[in-house]
Amino acid sequence: MSFSGSLYYDELLPDGPPAGTAVLVHGGSLTGACYLSTPDGRPGWAPAFAARGYRVLVPDWPGTGRSATVTPDDVTGELVCAALGRLLQEQESPVVLIVHSMSGPFGFRLLATHSAHLSALVALAPGPPGDIQPEPTVLRSTPDELEIQGEYLRWRLPRRGLWWPTEAFARTKMIGASTRFPSGAFDAFRRQLVPIPAGLLSERQNVDGRQLRTAGPVPGTPALVLTGDHDTDHPREADAATARWLADLGAAVTHRYLDDAAHTGNGHLLMSEDNSDELAELVIGWLEQAH
């Protein structure tokens, strides 16, 4: 484990000289542990990338997991991006940045603000940026909590402190309609889940228009948007719209929707499902072609 400002991260090294550095950033209610191993105990994406010659850094967001020294009410998307940006700046050469779900807008912001430090962006079922995400419908509002209808799911959000993931959230949002989640691994997966700072989750849902927006046009950096065809919260058109938006800003975008015979059935947890090794190889193959 290493430390960069308010950010803790694991570092995995290849057997020989690194072919490059990959930074793997988790999504909401997860920590970097989701890349270290799968819920059924197999090696995860981090060791897979290290085996293919990458030096791999796996951070936890500020206020989350091993980086929980920041109090929840102080955690914002700007704070997370600042911490990740420092980590990128500390590397000797541009890195591959991989973001998942709620970290999607962090990756898009960093693509604009830290392009000199990025060789490619991989966005796994990314949340959309505030530039194109509509505000949710407020169903109920009290001084302590907010109930909203998002684009695809309904949420009850505390206004302060932490939002704790429920079993219904794990089954409906995280696993959803996937046919690839490892059989018998739900209890192990549920134990991995961690709370999300309430304000950060409200940002993700774009409450009051607070979701992160980009800081301007992005250069022609290669970007891959990867979506499972059984992801309940990410139908094809949702991530296709994000990919088009990225392309309009100048990125060299590929949107891969996993509906071919070899990959169908994947849900939201692409790094955790029973074909996670194949998907890691798919991403590595795309990176080799992109460079």
PDB file of all heavy atoms in Angstrom, residues 257-284:
ATOM      1  N   TYR A 257     -20.365  -2.395 -27.127  1.00  0.00           N
ATOM      2  CA  TYR A 257     -21.527  -2.932 -26.430  1.00  0.00           C
ATOM      3  C   TYR A 257     -21.459  -4.446 -26.542  1.00  0.00           C
ATOM      4  O   TYR A 257     -21.424  -5.001 -27.641  1.00  0.00           O
ATOM      5  CB  TYR A 257     -22.805  -2.380 -27.060  1.00  0.00           C
ATOM      6  CG  TYR A 257     -24.076  -2.727 -26.321  1.00  0.00           C
ATOM      7  CD1 TYR A 257     -24.397  -2.084 -25.126  1.00  0.00           C
ATOM      8  CD2 TYR A 257     -24.954  -3.679 -26.820  1.00  0.00           C
ATOM      9  CE1 TYR A 257     -25.567  -2.384 -24.453  1.00  0.00           C
ATOM     10  CE2 TYR A 257     -26.132  -3.976 -26.148  1.00  0.00           C
ATOM     11  CZ  TYR A 257     -26.431  -3.335 -24.963  1.00  0.00           C
ATOM     12  OH  TYR A 257     -27.594  -3.639 -24.288  1.00  0.00           O
ATOM     13  N   LEU A 258     -21.397  -5.114 -25.399  1.00  0.00           N
ATOM     14  CA  LEU A 258     -21.075  -6.538 -25.365  1.00  0.00           C
ATOM     15  C   LEU A 258     -22.305  -7.402 -25.624  1.00  0.00           C
ATOM     16  O   LEU A 258     -22.840  -8.043 -24.721  1.00  0.00           O
ATOM     17  CB  LEU A 258     -20.446  -6.891 -24.015  1.00  0.00           C
ATOM     18  CG  LEU A 258     -19.121  -6.190 -23.697  1.00  0.00           C
ATOM     19  CD1 LEU A 258     -18.732  -6.410 -22.248  1.00  0.00           C
ATOM     20  CD2 LEU A 258     -18.022  -6.676 -24.633  1.00  0.00           C
ATOM     21  N   ASP A 259     -22.726  -7.433 -26.888  1.00  0.00           N
ATOM     22  CA  ASP A 259     -23.888  -8.239 -27.234  1.00  0.00           C
ATOM     23  C   ASP A 259     -23.558  -9.298 -28.281  1.00  0.00           C
ATOM     24  O   ASP A 259     -24.454  -9.885 -28.877  1.00  0.00           O
ATOM     25  CB  ASP A 259     -25.042  -7.367 -27.723  1.00  0.00           C
ATOM     26  CG  ASP A 259     -24.711  -6.594 -28.994  1.00  0.00           C
ATOM     27  OD1 ASP A 259     -23.516  -6.545 -29.371  1.00  0.00           O
ATOM     28  OD2 ASP A 259     -25.634  -6.035 -29.603  1.00  0.00           O
ATOM     29  N   ASP A 260     -22.255  -9.552 -28.510  1.00  0.00           N
ATOM     30  CA  ASP A 260     -21.882 -10.597 -29.452  1.00  0.00           C
ATOM     31  C   ASP A 260     -21.943 -11.956 -28.760  1.00  0.00           C
ATOM     32  O   ASP A 260     -22.022 -12.054 -27.533  1.00  0.00           O
ATOM     33  CB  ASP A 260     -20.478 -10.340 -30.003  1.00  0.00           C
ATOM     34  CG  ASP A 260     -19.434 -10.259 -28.906  1.00  0.00           C
ATOM     35  OD1 ASP A 260     -19.313  -9.188 -28.280  1.00  0.00           O
ATOM     36  OD2 ASP A 260     -18.767 -11.285 -28.646  1.00  0.00           O
ATOM     37  N   ALA A 261     -21.886 -13.018 -29.539  1.00  0.00           N
ATOM     38  CA  ALA A 261     -22.071 -14.367 -28.999  1.00  0.00           C
ATOM     39  C   ALA A 261     -21.035 -14.718 -27.938  1.00  0.00           C
ATOM     40  O   ALA A 261     -21.323 -15.462 -26.999  1.00  0.00           O
ATOM     41  CB  ALA A 261     -22.029 -15.387 -30.136  1.00  0.00           C
ATOM     42  N   ALA A 262     -19.841 -14.160 -28.042  1.00  0.00           N
ATOM     43  CA  ALA A 262     -18.770 -14.519 -27.115  1.00  0.00           C
ATOM     44  C   ALA A 262     -18.885 -13.803 -25.775  1.00  0.00           C
ATOM     45  O   ALA A 262     -18.295 -14.241 -24.785  1.00  0.00           O
ATOM     46  CB  ALA A 262     -17.409 -14.211 -27.744  1.00  0.00           C
ATOM     47  N   HIS A 263     -19.633 -12.697 -25.726  1.00  0.00           N
ATOM     48  CA  HIS A 263     -19.611 -11.872 -24.519  1.00  0.00           C
ATOM     49  C   HIS A 263     -20.992 -11.541 -23.954  1.00  0.00           C
ATOM     50  O   HIS A 263     -21.092 -10.822 -22.970  1.00  0.00           O
ATOM     51  CB  HIS A 263     -18.873 -10.559 -24.799  1.00  0.00           C
ATOM     52  CG  HIS A 263     -17.461 -10.732 -25.218  1.00  0.00           C
ATOM     53  ND1 HIS A 263     -17.046 -10.577 -26.518  1.00  0.00           N
ATOM     54  CD2 HIS A 263     -16.366 -11.072 -24.503  1.00  0.00           C
ATOM     55  CE1 HIS A 263     -15.745 -10.796 -26.592  1.00  0.00           C
ATOM     56  NE2 HIS A 263     -15.311 -11.096 -25.399  1.00  0.00           N
ATOM     57  N   THR A 264     -22.057 -12.001 -24.526  1.00  0.00           N
ATOM     58  CA  THR A 264     -23.375 -11.599 -24.064  1.00  0.00           C
ATOM     59  C   THR A 264     -23.645 -12.062 -22.630  1.00  0.00           C
ATOM     60  O   THR A 264     -23.106 -13.070 -22.175  1.00  0.00           O
ATOM     61  CB  THR A 264     -24.464 -12.158 -24.998  1.00  0.00           C
ATOM     62  OG1 THR A 264     -25.736 -11.610 -24.625  1.00  0.00           O
ATOM     63  CG2 THR A 264     -24.545 -13.671 -24.918  1.00  0.00           C
ATOM     64  N   GLY A 265     -24.489 -11.315 -21.930  1.00  0.00           N
ATOM     65  CA  GLY A 265     -24.883 -11.673 -20.564  1.00  0.00           C
ATOM     66  C   GLY A 265     -24.255 -10.844 -19.485  1.00  0.00           C
ATOM     67  O   GLY A 265     -24.630 -10.970 -18.315  1.00  0.00           O
ATOM     68  N   ASN A 266     -23.297  -9.965 -19.825  1.00  0.00           N
ATOM     69  CA  ASN A 266     -22.624  -9.183 -18.788  1.00  0.00           C
ATOM     70  C   ASN A 266     -23.498  -8.060 -18.266  1.00  0.00           C
ATOM     71  O   ASN A 266     -24.242  -7.419 -19.011  1.00  0.00           O
ATOM     72  CB  ASN A 266     -21.319  -8.584 -19.320  1.00  0.00           C
ATOM     73  CG  ASN A 266     -20.211  -9.600 -19.389  1.00  0.00           C
ATOM     74  OD1 ASN A 266     -19.795  -9.994 -20.460  1.00  0.00           O
ATOM     75  ND2 ASN A 266     -19.728 -10.038 -18.233  1.00  0.00           N
ATOM     76  N   GLY A 267     -23.388  -7.817 -16.969  1.00  0.00           N
ATOM     77  CA  GLY A 267     -24.099  -6.746 -16.312  1.00  0.00           C
ATOM     78  C   GLY A 267     -23.188  -5.579 -15.998  1.00  0.00           C
ATOM     79  O   GLY A 267     -22.333  -5.197 -16.803  1.00  0.00           O
ATOM     80  N   HIS A 268     -23.329  -5.036 -14.791  1.00  0.00           N
ATOM     81  CA  HIS A 268     -22.625  -3.812 -14.407  1.00  0.00           C
ATOM     82  C   HIS A 268     -21.209  -4.067 -13.908  1.00  0.00           C
ATOM     83  O   HIS A 268     -20.352  -3.200 -14.019  1.00  0.00           O
ATOM     84  CB  HIS A 268     -23.444  -3.115 -13.314  1.00  0.00           C
ATOM     85  CG  HIS A 268     -23.045  -1.693 -13.075  1.00  0.00           C
ATOM     86  ND1 HIS A 268     -23.080  -0.730 -14.065  1.00  0.00           N
ATOM     87  CD2 HIS A 268     -22.610  -1.067 -11.948  1.00  0.00           C
ATOM     88  CE1 HIS A 268     -22.681   0.428 -13.564  1.00  0.00           C
ATOM     89  NE2 HIS A 268     -22.391   0.250 -12.292  1.00  0.00           N
ATOM     90  N   LEU A 269     -20.951  -5.247 -13.352  1.00  0.00           N
ATOM     91  CA  LEU A 269     -19.681  -5.533 -12.675  1.00  0.00           C
ATOM     92  C   LEU A 269     -18.730  -6.268 -13.607  1.00  0.00           C
ATOM     93  O   LEU A 269     -18.389  -7.433 -13.403  1.00  0.00           O
ATOM     94  CB  LEU A 269     -19.944  -6.343 -11.410  1.00  0.00           C
ATOM     95  CG  LEU A 269     -20.832  -5.658 -10.371  1.00  0.00           C
ATOM     96  CD1 LEU A 269     -21.299  -6.657  -9.324  1.00  0.00           C
ATOM     97  CD2 LEU A 269     -20.088  -4.490  -9.717  1.00  0.00           C
ATOM     98  N   LEU A 270     -18.264  -5.596 -14.628  1.00  0.00           N
ATOM     99  CA  LEU A 270     -17.475  -6.251 -15.667  1.00  0.00           C
ATOM    100  C   LEU A 270     -16.187  -6.863 -15.127  1.00  0.00           C
ATOM    101  O   LEU A 270     -15.707  -7.866 -15.657  1.00  0.00           O
ATOM    102  CB  LEU A 270     -17.152  -5.251 -16.780  1.00  0.00           C
ATOM    103  CG  LEU A 270     -18.373  -4.637 -17.478  1.00  0.00           C
ATOM    104  CD1 LEU A 270     -17.929  -3.588 -18.491  1.00  0.00           C
ATOM    105  CD2 LEU A 270     -19.210  -5.707 -18.151  1.00  0.00           C
ATOM    106  N   MET A 271     -15.608  -6.275 -14.084  1.00  0.00           N
ATOM    107  CA  MET A 271     -14.363  -6.791 -13.521  1.00  0.00           C
ATOM    108  C   MET A 271     -14.588  -7.945 -12.546  1.00  0.00           C
ATOM    109  O   MET A 271     -13.628  -8.537 -12.062  1.00  0.00           O
ATOM    110  CB  MET A 271     -13.598  -5.663 -12.819  1.00  0.00           C
ATOM    111  CG  MET A 271     -14.162  -5.218 -11.482  1.00  0.00           C
ATOM    112  SD  MET A 271     -15.796  -4.420 -11.559  1.00  0.00           S
ATOM    113  CE  MET A 271     -15.353  -2.932 -12.452  1.00  0.00           C
ATOM    114  N   SER A 272     -15.847  -8.284 -12.263  1.00  0.00           N
ATOM    115  CA  SER A 272     -16.173  -9.278 -11.242  1.00  0.00           C
ATOM    116  C   SER A 272     -16.886 -10.503 -11.772  1.00  0.00           C
ATOM    117  O   SER A 272     -17.078 -11.469 -11.037  1.00  0.00           O
ATOM    118  CB  SER A 272     -17.054  -8.636 -10.152  1.00  0.00           C
ATOM    119  OG  SER A 272     -16.397  -7.560  -9.526  1.00  0.00           O
ATOM    120  N   GLU A 273     -17.297 -10.492 -13.034  1.00  0.00           N
ATOM    121  CA  GLU A 273     -18.172 -11.546 -13.528  1.00  0.00           C
ATOM    122  C   GLU A 273     -17.366 -12.751 -14.010  1.00  0.00           C
ATOM    123  O   GLU A 273     -16.128 -12.743 -14.020  1.00  0.00           O
ATOM    124  CB  GLU A 273     -19.105 -10.965 -14.579  1.00  0.00           C
ATOM    125  CG  GLU A 273     -19.979  -9.892 -13.943  1.00  0.00           C
ATOM    126  CD  GLU A 273     -21.133  -9.438 -14.799  1.00  0.00           C
ATOM    127  OE1 GLU A 273     -20.914  -9.038 -15.952  1.00  0.00           O
ATOM    128  OE2 GLU A 273     -22.260  -9.481 -14.296  1.00  0.00           O
ATOM    129  N   ASP A 274     -18.058 -13.825 -14.411  1.00  0.00           N
ATOM    130  CA  ASP A 274     -17.365 -15.096 -14.632  1.00  0.00           C
ATOM    131  C   ASP A 274     -16.458 -15.075 -15.859  1.00  0.00           C
ATOM    132  O   ASP A 274     -15.610 -15.960 -16.019  1.00  0.00           O
ATOM    133  CB  ASP A 274     -18.349 -16.273 -14.687  1.00  0.00           C
ATOM    134  CG  ASP A 274     -19.342 -16.193 -15.844  1.00  0.00           C
ATOM    135  OD1 ASP A 274     -19.189 -15.318 -16.726  1.00  0.00           O
ATOM    136  OD2 ASP A 274     -20.271 -17.023 -15.868  1.00  0.00           O
ATOM    137  N   ASN A 275     -16.600 -14.076 -16.739  1.00  0.00           N
ATOM    138  CA  ASN A 275     -15.691 -13.923 -17.874  1.00  0.00           C
ATOM    139  C   ASN A 275     -14.795 -12.696 -17.715  1.00  0.00           C
ATOM    140  O   ASN A 275     -14.382 -12.081 -18.703  1.00  0.00           O
ATOM    141  CB  ASN A 275     -16.477 -13.843 -19.185  1.00  0.00           C
ATOM    142  CG  ASN A 275     -17.418 -12.638 -19.244  1.00  0.00           C
ATOM    143  OD1 ASN A 275     -17.747 -12.046 -18.217  1.00  0.00           O
ATOM    144  ND2 ASN A 275     -17.857 -12.294 -20.440  1.00  0.00           N
ATOM    145  N   SER A 276     -14.480 -12.346 -16.468  1.00  0.00           N
ATOM    146  CA  SER A 276     -13.684 -11.134 -16.210  1.00  0.00           C
ATOM    147  C   SER A 276     -12.313 -11.199 -16.873  1.00  0.00           C
ATOM    148  O   SER A 276     -11.801 -10.180 -17.349  1.00  0.00           O
ATOM    149  CB  SER A 276     -13.542 -10.902 -14.703  1.00  0.00           C
ATOM    150  OG  SER A 276     -12.914 -12.007 -14.075  1.00  0.00           O
ATOM    151  N   ASP A 277     -11.696 -12.373 -16.910  1.00  0.00           N
ATOM    152  CA  ASP A 277     -10.387 -12.491 -17.564  1.00  0.00           C
ATOM    153  C   ASP A 277     -10.494 -12.176 -19.051  1.00  0.00           C
ATOM    154  O   ASP A 277      -9.628 -11.480 -19.616  1.00  0.00           O
ATOM    155  CB  ASP A 277      -9.824 -13.898 -17.375  1.00  0.00           C
ATOM    156  CG  ASP A 277      -9.342 -14.166 -15.960  1.00  0.00           C
ATOM    157  OD1 ASP A 277      -9.166 -13.195 -15.203  1.00  0.00           O
ATOM    158  OD2 ASP A 277      -9.137 -15.342 -15.616  1.00  0.00           O
ATOM    159  N   GLU A 278     -11.547 -12.677 -19.705  1.00  0.00           N
ATOM    160  CA  GLU A 278     -11.739 -12.396 -21.125  1.00  0.00           C
ATOM    161  C   GLU A 278     -11.942 -10.904 -21.365  1.00  0.00           C
ATOM    162  O   GLU A 278     -11.433 -10.337 -22.348  1.00  0.00           O
ATOM    163  CB  GLU A 278     -12.939 -13.163 -21.659  1.00  0.00           C
ATOM    164  CG  GLU A 278     -12.812 -14.676 -21.612  1.00  0.00           C
ATOM    165  CD  GLU A 278     -14.132 -15.342 -21.940  1.00  0.00           C
ATOM    166  OE1 GLU A 278     -14.852 -14.822 -22.816  1.00  0.00           O
ATOM    167  OE2 GLU A 278     -14.452 -16.366 -21.311  1.00  0.00           O
ATOM    168  N   LEU A 279     -12.689 -10.247 -20.465  1.00  0.00           N
ATOM    169  CA  LEU A 279     -12.938  -8.817 -20.638  1.00  0.00           C
ATOM    170  C   LEU A 279     -11.677  -8.005 -20.395  1.00  0.00           C
ATOM    171  O   LEU A 279     -11.443  -6.993 -21.074  1.00  0.00           O
ATOM    172  CB  LEU A 279     -14.060  -8.369 -19.702  1.00  0.00           C
ATOM    173  CG  LEU A 279     -15.421  -9.023 -19.969  1.00  0.00           C
ATOM    174  CD1 LEU A 279     -16.471  -8.470 -19.012  1.00  0.00           C
ATOM    175  CD2 LEU A 279     -15.857  -8.839 -21.412  1.00  0.00           C
ATOM    176  N   ALA A 280     -10.841  -8.424 -19.437  1.00  0.00           N
ATOM    177  CA  ALA A 280      -9.552  -7.756 -19.237  1.00  0.00           C
ATOM    178  C   ALA A 280      -8.706  -7.880 -20.505  1.00  0.00           C
ATOM    179  O   ALA A 280      -8.074  -6.898 -20.943  1.00  0.00           O
ATOM    180  CB  ALA A 280      -8.821  -8.360 -18.043  1.00  0.00           C
ATOM    181  N   GLU A 281      -8.695  -9.061 -21.121  1.00  0.00           N
ATOM    182  CA  GLU A 281      -7.949  -9.246 -22.358  1.00  0.00           C
ATOM    183  C   GLU A 281      -8.527  -8.405 -23.485  1.00  0.00           C
ATOM    184  O   GLU A 281      -7.788  -7.881 -24.326  1.00  0.00           O
ATOM    185  CB  GLU A 281      -7.939 -10.724 -22.746  1.00  0.00           C
ATOM    186  CG  GLU A 281      -7.029 -11.581 -21.881  1.00  0.00           C
ATOM    187  CD  GLU A 281      -5.568 -11.149 -21.999  1.00  0.00           C
ATOM    188  OE1 GLU A 281      -5.114 -10.851 -23.130  1.00  0.00           O
ATOM    189  OE2 GLU A 281      -4.890 -11.100 -20.959  1.00  0.00           O
ATOM    190  N   LEU A 282      -9.843  -8.251 -23.518  1.00  0.00           N
ATOM    191  CA  LEU A 282     -10.467  -7.403 -24.528  1.00  0.00           C
ATOM    192  C   LEU A 282      -9.968  -5.965 -24.389  1.00  0.00           C
ATOM    193  O   LEU A 282      -9.614  -5.321 -25.386  1.00  0.00           O
ATOM    194  CB  LEU A 282     -11.983  -7.477 -24.375  1.00  0.00           C
ATOM    195  CG  LEU A 282     -12.880  -6.770 -25.393  1.00  0.00           C
ATOM    196  CD1 LEU A 282     -14.249  -7.435 -25.433  1.00  0.00           C
ATOM    197  CD2 LEU A 282     -13.057  -5.288 -25.053  1.00  0.00           C
ATOM    198  N   VAL A 283      -9.933  -5.463 -23.156  1.00  0.00           N
ATOM    199  CA  VAL A 283      -9.468  -4.094 -22.924  1.00  0.00           C
ATOM    200  C   VAL A 283      -7.989  -3.964 -23.282  1.00  0.00           C
ATOM    201  O   VAL A 283      -7.578  -2.998 -23.942  1.00  0.00           O
ATOM    202  CB  VAL A 283      -9.718  -3.676 -21.462  1.00  0.00           C
ATOM    203  CG1 VAL A 283      -9.059  -2.329 -21.161  1.00  0.00           C
ATOM    204  CG2 VAL A 283     -11.214  -3.600 -21.178  1.00  0.00           C
ATOM    205  N   ILE A 284      -7.175  -4.930 -22.867  1.00  0.00           N
ATOM    206  CA  ILE A 284      -5.743  -4.876 -23.170  1.00  0.00           C
ATOM    207  C   ILE A 284      -5.522  -4.925 -24.679  1.00  0.00           C
ATOM    208  O   ILE A 284      -4.676  -4.198 -25.231  1.00  0.00           O
ATOM    209  CB  ILE A 284      -5.005  -6.020 -22.455  1.00  0.00           C
ATOM    210  CG1 ILE A 284      -5.016  -5.774 -20.943  1.00  0.00           C
ATOM    211  CG2 ILE A 284      -3.571  -6.152 -22.962  1.00  0.00           C
ATOM    212  CD1 ILE A 284      -4.568  -6.965 -20.114  1.00  0.00           C
TER     213      ILE A 284
END
